[in-house]
């Protein structure tokens, strides 16, 4: 373990000079945070807080600490030595190598960092040690404040089996299920048959969608038991499971609670979290379109009743499943700050991190229930380094070669812990940021989110902005007709990106043609400086062929100033803009409508990659002569991949279930890959004999690596 320290004043000066652009990016969120950015100087809390976390949540805590005049200590793994949260903190301590169990879950190293820096309190963020009762106990034993609930509440609510029993006793609505620990796969099958399919198998400890599986029959129960127990052990160090009835087509709505150490507790309204993939949230909003005031109050009162039953003190979240008739059932309580807390801050004006720090110091809550408003509407999109075309999002790794957050827009907040040049690795969660927009109405917040996603520049890793934009513009989402099954119902064949209608196709073709001509004219001007032309000619008309997806389109382009008139398949489209080819953003006016495209790449063969309405499209623009000559070129025969099993994501091989010579059936498991603590079973695409195996358990593989070859 190594620590580096500077005096607070020198640290802040160096930070301001060296990372001035970073500071403006990270702190610009205060302008649009929609919570109080000032703190009472009369309230003495802590001199120094250590943040036992990384990434965006560590940066988020540091911002509030600065507002409150509190010095901060960052902890980091060796690969995170130059991370944003390390640069923002007053001090930083390395707590081990990259794997989480050797760094961010290494209690001994973090406790030593607390002692070495003299931190008076620890904020755990979310994940990692945030709900670990042993960590809270060790801090208490050394008279260091844990900025969260006490160990009793963590223990009671962190165990899903015990929490369900406590909820029942507190007269909180609960889901029917088995109230004990399930020890074997066969016992899981017996219990599932008694409850009645479908059932939810989930880890007793932890959360975040890890260690959770839905089973619709006996075989899925056995498989779900295996994967859930392995994920639970890997993520939380506790492989105990429980089983309960799975409520089909529910909404996932949670209540934010805030309680102090003096018996006062509030509910801070709800968050709608129904848009999920693999039981992990993707888009959240506050308030919910579904709840009426009576149901909201009933859910809030039950959430507070549960918090009081365990003498809860801090910010916490009580999660409910809500059916179509507004019946609601307790799901779990998260005894920590939630990922999606910013949208609650937007509609209430409260800084939840500040409230947690105040409560940890022993102050009474400043507010009463009647003081808690719902002002406007807030929406959060979780921006991940994931490929949304693979199971709605499989992790992507790489370096952010270009990165620009849309903070030039009003009412936009970005909570992130990365910057241009940051690495997204296999060791940690692939979240890039939480993109939050706010409006007086839901329609206003949605329109702002659409603009923010279009203006968000991310290069170097695959990201899920195409999926996010399609979700927030889908008619079902706009109408509020959502459940936790939204994604598989709307995209039963998987996510395919924006499906172009006739008007959208013409817009994209015209934009590509105009961009191609702009680039050609620029090249001519640059080359023209190198030679003397006897008869310079300014072209104003071009006949082109534009290839998009499987279609070829004849296009005529005429130019007047910065305005192009493009005839696409007999229809005229007018495109104008500043045409700055050095910028990744391409603001255009298309038939009078503003569009923000992104210029991803272009090569000499006429290939152009454009991001349009969130989705990346590969387009080729050729002159008519070049298109005619190109038609004589032989087509490349695609590789037959039916006999090859390649890794769909970077990760670690957990298990290999076959060996050369084995015969496998279609759908049979071949190997298991773990990425970001989630295990993924890879199966045979067809029945065949195994020819060769190119991986073994424990190996790290990259996306596209050959794992197994079939005959």
């Amino acid at each position: 373990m190594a620590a580096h320290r500077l005096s607070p004043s020198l640290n802040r000066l160096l930070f301001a000079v060296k990372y001035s652009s970073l500071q403006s990016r990270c702190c610009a969120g205060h302008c649009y945070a929609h919570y109080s950015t000032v703190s009472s100087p009369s309230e003495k809390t802590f001199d120094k807080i250590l943040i036992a976390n990384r990434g965006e949540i560590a940066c988020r805590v540091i911002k509030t600490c600065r507002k409150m005049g509190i010095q901060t200590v960052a902890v980091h793994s060796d690969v995170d030595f130059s991370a944003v949260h390390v640069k923002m903190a007053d001090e930083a301590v390395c707590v081990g190598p990259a794997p989480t169990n050797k760094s961010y879950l290494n209690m001994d190293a973090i406790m030593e960092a607390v002692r070495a820096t003299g931190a008076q309190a620890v904020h755990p963020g979310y994940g990692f040690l945030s709900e670990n009762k042993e960590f809270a106990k060790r801090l208490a034993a050394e008279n260091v404040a844990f900025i969260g609930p006490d160990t009793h509440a963590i223990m009671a609510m962190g165990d899903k089996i015990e929490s369900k029993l406590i909820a029942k006793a507190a007269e909180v609505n609960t889901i029917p299920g088995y109230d004990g620990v399930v020890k074997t796969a066969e016992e899981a099958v017996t219990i599932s048959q008694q409850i009645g399919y479908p059932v939810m198998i989930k880890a007793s400890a932890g959360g975040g969608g890890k260690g959770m599986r839905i089973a619709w029959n006996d075989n899925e129960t056995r498989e779900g038991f295996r994967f859930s127990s392995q994920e639970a052990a890997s993520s939380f160090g506790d492989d105990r499971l429980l089983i309960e009835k799975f409520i089909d087509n529910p909404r996932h709505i949670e209540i934010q609670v805030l309680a102090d150490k003096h018996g006062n507790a509030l509910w801070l309204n709800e968050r709608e979290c129904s848009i999920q993939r693999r039981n992990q949230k993707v888009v959240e909003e506050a308030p919910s379109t579904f709840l009426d005031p009576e149901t909201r109050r009933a859910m809030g009162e039950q959430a507070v009743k549960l918090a009081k039953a365990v003498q809860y003190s801090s910010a916490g979240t009580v999660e409910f499943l809500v059916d179509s008739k507004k019946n609601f059932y307790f799901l779990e309580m998260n005894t920590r700050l939630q990922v999606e807390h910013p949208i609650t801050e937007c509609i209430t004006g409260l800084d939840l991190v500040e409230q947690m720090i105040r409560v940890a110091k022993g102050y009474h809550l400043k507010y009463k229930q009647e003081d808690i408003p719902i002002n406007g509407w807030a929406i959060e999109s979780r921006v991940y380094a994931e490929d949304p075309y693979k199971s709605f999002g499989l992790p992507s790794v790489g370096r952010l070669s270009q990165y620009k957050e849309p903070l030039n827009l009003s009412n936009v907040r970005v909570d992130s812990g990365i910057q241009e040049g940051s690495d997204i690795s296999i060791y940690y969660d692939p979240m890039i940021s939480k993109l939050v927009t706010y409006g007086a109405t839901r329609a206003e917040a949605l329109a702002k989110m659409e603009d923010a996603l279009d203006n968000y520049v991310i290069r170097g890793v695959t990201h899920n902005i195409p999926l996010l934009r399609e979700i927030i513009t889908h008619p079902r989402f706009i109408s509020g007709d959502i459940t936790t099954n939204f994604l598989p119902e709307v995209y039963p064949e998987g996510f395919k990106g924006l499906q172009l209608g006739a008007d959208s196709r013409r817009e994209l073709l015209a934009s590509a043609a105009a961009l191609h001509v702009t680039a050609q004219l620029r090249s001519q001007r640059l080359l023209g400086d190198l030679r003397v032309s006897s008869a310079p000619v300014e072209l104003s008309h071009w006949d082109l062929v534009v290839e998009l997806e499987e279609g070829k389109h004849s296009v005529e382009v005429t130019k007047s100033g910065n305005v192009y008139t493009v005839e696409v398949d007999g229809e005229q489209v007018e495109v104008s803009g500043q045409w700055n080819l050095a910028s990744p953003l391409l603001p255009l006016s298309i038939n009078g409508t503003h569009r923000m495209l992104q210029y991803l790449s272009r090569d000499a063969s006429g290939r152009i990659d454009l991001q349009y309405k969130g989705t990346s499209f590969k387009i080729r623009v050729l002159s008519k002569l070049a298109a005619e000559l190109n038609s004589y070129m032989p087509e490349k025969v695609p590789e037959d991949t039916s006999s090859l099993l390649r890794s769909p994501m970077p990760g670690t091989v957990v298990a290999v279930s076959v060996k050369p010579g084995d015969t496998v059936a279609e759908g049979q498991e071949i190997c298991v890959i773990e990425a970001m603590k989630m295990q993924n079973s890879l199966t045979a695409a067809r029945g065949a004999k195994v020819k060769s195996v190119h991986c073994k358990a424990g190996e790290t593989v990259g996306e596209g690596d050959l794992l197994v070859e079939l005959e």
Side-chain angles (χ1 to χ4, degrees), residues 353-422:
V353 175
E354 180 183 10
Q355 298 306 314
M356 293 178 76
I357 293 171
R358 291 185 70 258
V359 168
K361 188 60 178 177
Y363 287 106
H364 287 74
L365 294 182
K366 284 183 175 181
Y367 310 98
K368 297 188 181 300
Q369 191 61 57
E370 56 267 24
D371 299 328
I372 306 304
I374 298 181
N375 288 329
W377 214 284
I379 298 171
E380 175 178 289
S381 292
R382 298 194 188 188
V383 182
Y384 282 104
E386 290 183 338
D387 186 344
Y389 302 99
K390 298 177 180 177
S391 301
F392 300 111
L394 292 183
S396 169
V397 298
R399 177 165 293 175
L400 291 167
S401 57
Q402 199 169 13
Y403 184 74
K404 183 181 180 183
E405 296 171 351
L407 291 173
N408 58 305
L409 304 176
S410 63
N411 290 340
V412 172
R413 168 177 167 177
V414 183
D415 282 17
S416 68
I418 49 89
Q419 61 182 331
E420 194 164 286
S422 292

Side-chain angles (χ1 to χ4, degrees), residues 454-526:
D454 285 344
N455 280 269
Y456 206 148
V457 177
I458 303 172
R459 305 282 189 274
V461 296
T462 305
H463 54 77
N464 68 333
I465 282 179
L467 175 62
L468 295 172
R469 198 185 188 285
E470 283 299 289
I471 290 171
I472 62 114
T473 57
H474 194 278
R476 267 190 62 179
F477 184 85
I478 292 171
S479 69
D481 177 20
I482 58 176
T483 70
T484 55
N485 287 331
F486 178 88
L487 289 178
E489 286 176 355
V490 171
Y491 309 106
E493 303 301 319
F495 179 67
K496 307 295 184 184
L498 172 66
Q499 300 303 297
L500 293 169
D503 291 342
S504 294
R505 186 178 298 276
R506 275 194 294 272
E507 284 191 6
L508 183 56
L509 291 167
S511 300
L515 183 62
H516 173 81
V517 171
T518 299
Q520 292 285 92
L521 290 174
R522 187 182 72 164
S523 297
Q524 288 174 10
R525 285 195 296 271
L526 292 173

Side-chain angles (χ1 to χ4, degrees), residues 86-132:
V86 175
K87 296 171 182 175
M88 287 183 69
D90 296 296
E91 301 176 47
V93 180
C94 181
V95 290
T100 56
N101 64 328
K102 296 179 179 178
S103 52
Y104 296 104
L105 290 173
N106 185 344
M107 276 191 265
D108 290 338
I110 292 174
M111 290 302 301
E112 180 56 33
V114 171
R115 297 185 199 102
T117 58
Q120 299 164 325
V122 171
H123 196 300
Y126 55 75
F128 294 137
L129 298 172
S130 63
E131 294 176 285
N132 189 300

Side-chain angles (χ1 to χ4, degrees), residues 59-88:
C59 295
R60 168 69 189 88
V61 175
I62 290 171
K63 290 175 189 177
T64 288
C65 288
R66 285 187 168 184
K67 176 184 79 173
M68 299 176 73
I70 301 169
Q71 293 182 43
T72 54
V73 180
V75 296
H76 64 91
S77 66
D78 55 7
V79 298
D80 271 347
F81 73 96
S82 62
V84 174
H85 75 283
V86 175
K87 296 171 182 175
M88 287 183 69

